[in-house]
Amino acid sequence: MAPFVPRAVTVVLAVVLVASVTDWLLTLSARRTPAEPVRVLDASAVEPAQVTDVMPVAKLFGAGSSADVGGIRALGVMAEGGSGRGIAVLGVEGKPAKSYRSGEMVAPGVVLKEVKKDGVVISRAGVAQELRLNKAPATPVSPVSIPATR
């Protein structure tokens, strides 16, 4: 009876080994379906990223002013209320100033996203940057003297 026990244990271990290998093969070869079907969204249906003003952080790293970012300078705007649409006059990399409508390409990889009353928002490689208008002090107008008539 002694030789029967080791053979029985060997058979049981062989059955457990085959069952374990079969379970792993079925688990690893099973096709997984995603929990939610993948949908392709239209670009207009996706909400745009929140526009944030990065100039306070940029000034910490030595950026000049928020009116001139990467060779693009905001010179003037005509905004249509709070809709973000309008026309902006921009100076691009030393070239003469030119007007752009919101949505137009300003330079390669740079799009005018939004026109505000005090500046513009451009998108450079998908990153929003805000350019503010320079608020130059107004030059005082000299008073006009009108001679008195008699």
Side-chain angles (χ1 to χ4, degrees), residues 33-86:
T33 56
E36 183 177 325
V38 177
R39 305 179 285 150
V40 177
L41 298 177
D42 185 22
S44 63
V46 179
E47 289 185 29
Q50 179 72 21
V51 177
T52 58
D53 187 12
V54 296
M55 278 317 293
V57 176
K59 285 182 181 178
L60 290 174
F61 291 102
S65 72
S66 62
D68 189 1
V69 174
I72 300 175
R73 187 171 188 83
L75 302 172
V77 294
M78 282 185 6
E80 293 181 13
S83 67
R85 296 183 308 185

Side-chain angles (χ1 to χ4, degrees), residues 4 15-16 22 27 45 49 67 70 78 83 90 96 103 117-118 120 129-130:
F4 177 72
V15 170
V16 169
T22 304
T27 301
M78 282 185 6
S83 67
L90 303 175
K117 67 178 181 175
D118 61 344
V120 297
Q129 295 175 322
E130 187 169 352

